Amino acid sequence: MSLANETLASLRRRLAAREISPADIIRDLAAAIEAKNPSVGAYLSWDVDAAVTEAEQTDTSLPLGGVPIAIKDNINVTGQPCTCGSKILAENYRSPYDATSIRQLRAGGALPFGRLNMDEFAMGSSTENSALGVTRNPWDLDRIPGGSSGGSASSVASATAIAALGSDTGGSIRQPAALCGVVGVKPTYGRVSRFGLVAFASSLDQIGTLTKTVEDSALVLNHLCGHDPLDSTSLNEPVPDFAAALGRDIKGLRIGLPKEYFISGIHPAVADAVRAAIKTLESLGARVEEISLPHTDAGVSTYYILAPAEASANLARFDGVRYGHRTANATDILDHYFSSRAEGFGPEVKRRILLGTYVLSSGYYDAYYLKAQRARTLIRRDFEEAFQKVDVIVSPTAPSPAHKMGELKNNPLQAYLEDVFTIPANLAGLPAMSVPSGFAEEGGKKLPVGIQIIGKALDEVTMLRVAHAFEQASGLSHLAP
Ligand code: GLN
């Protein structure tokens, strides 16, 4: 069997036993990418020779020693492209430095290998907003992988990556993980340094993992998390051993089901999968109770004011002078800015910049931006209250399984509404993850469905414990199409 099909945990055991070498893994991955990437399209680029050279020098006695990790194309790795799925960065940008998350992975012995497709600047839920190529869902090549970390999810699901990094601003790790049948973890805001992650909405962005199993995520998170003086929002908190916390039973643990999340409009297969998951969790001894998050219905509109507002400021640097594509035929300096940006950005990014500039403009600031900040506080308080009574919250990850490609392409509003269950955890800064919980049948194809587990701030341990117990009991682990 190709090493590309294995979990990180099993590769680590085999590396430790000296049965295999890090370069063997890279070669098997490269073969899998060659075979599958033409149809799946998860990778934008990968440099096998450089990775083999690096692999030969890795210290396999380190906890992640010799394990390759594929990287979403908005996280900087020295000397590699970092396109953010955009034309504006595709021509001439090479990362001059490693993001802190990459430095931490390297310190644990891991090798960053390959660049993964994404919605342009992480804006989207289907990866169809990438300017650089199409990524498909390995379970049904006519369907989207989700997004914006669509390349990350589809690489892991198609066994062309062992594990991947993604970023999550409103659901971009959890939603594609659910749609591709893998595990996706967004840690507490501030747990993982954002230094070297190209900013979309800085108060919401968080780097996290996409893996085949819960254990693999925990193993990567052990190295990914930690304080970084280069990121002023990074938390200076001790990082527990996430992997060591797995395997303890969940008897007596209190699980909240927010009544507002079980709305009409959920796909019946998603509703079934969540109901079955709840039964499983109860059979493991957890106590399940209904809770209320009364401001849930304000989440999507709050997010689609705050995130574009922050994006409009963050994306100002791509002007053809400081960064990015430079127009060939500007008549004067203003025209230079206008044309460089008009040529470089795609339609969704332009839509967000327009939205963001509008809600921040004088006369509208109070009505939109300020009001959205207040709504964000109410949403955060909903969770604070709910977590007085329960240890974790469980919900669907996404309202439906993967759509057909193109289905929502001309309906941005409908696409925004798909983020209804994932956005609140970003607004509140809470850790949240998706684990596979079953399948929907569509047109004779099995499509994965996920459940979301939301934890208390900084309590990834309990969230991961519940996910692991569920994964073991349900047998929905290390799924392959
Ligand atoms: N789908 C959401 C958006 O388009 C979330 C994206 C993300 O988390 N990066 O903004």
Side-chain angles (χ1 to χ4, degrees):
M1 185 175 81
S2 164
L3 299 176
N5 294 310
E6 297 205 21
T7 62
L8 189 156
S10 90
L11 289 177
R12 276 301 304 150
R13 282 190 289 273
R14 298 185 63 184
L15 285 163
R18 302 200 173 277
E19 275 174 48
I20 56 169
S21 77
D24 295 336
I25 308 175
I26 298 289
R27 280 190 279 264
D28 277 8
L29 277 177
I33 297 170
E34 296 291 346
K36 296 178 189 168
N37 209 55
S39 57
V40 176
Y43 284 82
L44 291 172
S45 59
W46 63 100
D47 184 341
V48 181
D49 294 339
V52 169
T53 308
E54 247 186 88
E56 279 162 354
Q57 292 155 8
T58 54
D59 177 355
T60 51
S61 67
L62 292 168
L64 297 178
V67 178
I69 297 185
I71 311 295
K72 185 176 182 179
D73 213 15
N74 61 351
I75 301 172
N76 282 279
V77 177
T78 308
Q80 297 189 8
C82 186
T83 67
C84 298
S86 182
K87 232 180 104 185
I88 212 160
L89 283 171
E91 285 165 14
N92 53 19
Y93 183 77
R94 278 282 180 289
S95 299
Y97 66 100
D98 274 347
T100 299
S101 52
I102 300 296
R103 270 201 291 122
Q104 306 222 146
L105 289 184
R106 285 196 206 274
L111 292 163
F113 173 55
R115 309 291 306 173
L116 300 165
N117 201 14
M118 55 183 282
D119 285 303
E120 187 173 4
F121 287 101
M123 297 171 186
S125 324
S126 69
T127 314
E128 293 171 292
N129 296 337
S130 171
L132 303 178
V134 177
T135 302
R136 296 170 187 278
N137 191 313
W139 294 85
D140 177 352
L141 296 174
D142 293 332
R143 292 179 189 266
I144 57 158
S148 65
S149 311
S152 308
S154 65
S155 67
V156 174
S158 63
T160 56
I162 306 304
L165 291 193
S167 66
D168 190 313
T169 305
S172 275
I173 289 175
R174 291 161 283 158
Q175 184 259 14
L179 271 43
C180 287
V182 301
V183 176
V185 182
K186 177 196 95 70
T188 308
Y189 180 78
R191 261 292 194 207
V192 181
S193 169
R194 288 182 296 107
F195 181 76
L197 165 71
V198 178
F200 163 10
S202 308
S203 77
L204 302 158
D205 297 341
Q206 184 61 203
I207 292 174
T209 52
L210 293 104
T211 58
K212 295 166 183 167
T213 65
V214 176
E215 181 187 19
D216 281 5
S217 271
L219 290 168
V220 179
L221 289 167
N222 277 354
H223 295 274
L224 204 56
C225 296
H227 180 241
D228 178 13
L230 296 174
D231 171 0
S232 63
T233 60
S234 160
L235 297 169
N236 198 350
E237 295 286 338
V239 178
D241 184 338
F242 298 113
L246 304 179
R248 277 195 290 146
D249 72 49
I250 58 165
K251 272 198 198 78
L253 225 96
R254 295 160 309 168
I255 294 177
L257 302 179
K259 62 172 192 246
E260 294 81 2
Y261 281 38
F262 294 87
I263 47 167
S264 60
I266 296 186
H267 189 285
V270 173
D272 286 349
V274 178
R275 265 194 292 272
I278 292 161
K279 282 225 178 73
T280 305
L281 290 166
E282 276 178 327
S283 74
L284 294 170
R287 297 208 315 261
V288 176
E289 60 181 278
E290 187 178 270
I291 56 160
S292 175
L293 299 169
H295 297 95
T296 296
D297 62 351
V300 172
S301 36
T302 300
Y303 172 88
Y304 279 99
I305 290 171
L306 297 180
E310 295 185 30
S312 72
N314 277 328
L315 269 55
R317 71 192 66 166
F318 304 103
D319 58 8
V321 177
R322 286 172 291 176
Y323 292 98
H325 164 80
R326 177 176 296 191
T327 186
N329 35 30
T331 49
D332 57 29
I333 181 70
L334 259 191
D335 185 44
H336 164 94
Y337 288 130
F338 291 157
S339 300
S340 297
R341 287 165 68 82
E343 290 166 15
F345 288 135
E348 184 61 29
V349 173
K350 287 177 182 160
R351 189 176 296 128
R352 305 280 179 115
I353 293 173
L354 281 170
L355 269 171
T357 308
Y358 182 80
V359 300
L360 289 173
S361 57
S362 82
Y364 295 105
Y365 181 90
D366 287 7
Y368 293 108
Y369 186 75
L370 206 63
K371 199 164 175 191
Q373 290 290 19
R374 296 204 172 110
R376 182 176 189 174
T377 302
L378 295 175
I379 289 166
R380 187 182 295 134
R381 282 194 198 141
D382 282 356
F383 281 106
E384 277 164 18
E385 227 161 88
F387 278 126
Q388 304 282 328
K389 285 185 284 192
V390 296
D391 301 299
V392 295
I393 293 171
V394 168
S395 79
T397 305
S400 39
H403 293 286
K404 282 258 166 72
M405 314 215 49
E407 208 172 306
L408 294 184
K409 195 146 193 193
N410 298 315
N411 194 346
L413 191 60
Q414 187 57 39
Y416 296 173
L417 291 171
E418 297 273 306
D419 300 333
V420 57
F421 303 131
T422 48
I423 278 174
N426 299 81
L427 290 170
L430 300 172
M433 68 186 288
S434 180
V435 274
S437 67
F439 293 95
E441 262 315 300
E442 297 274 352
K445 293 249 165 78
K446 270 170 88 177
L447 300 176
V449 167
I451 52 162
Q452 174 175 238
I453 305 170
I454 307 175
K456 293 181 187 170
L458 290 171
D459 191 12
E460 287 86 359
V461 161
T462 305
M463 173 183 85
L464 289 161
R465 235 176 89 201
V466 173
H468 186 253
F470 174 73
E471 178 193 48
Q472 299 303 305
S474 67
L476 295 163
S477 173
H478 196 170
L479 304 179

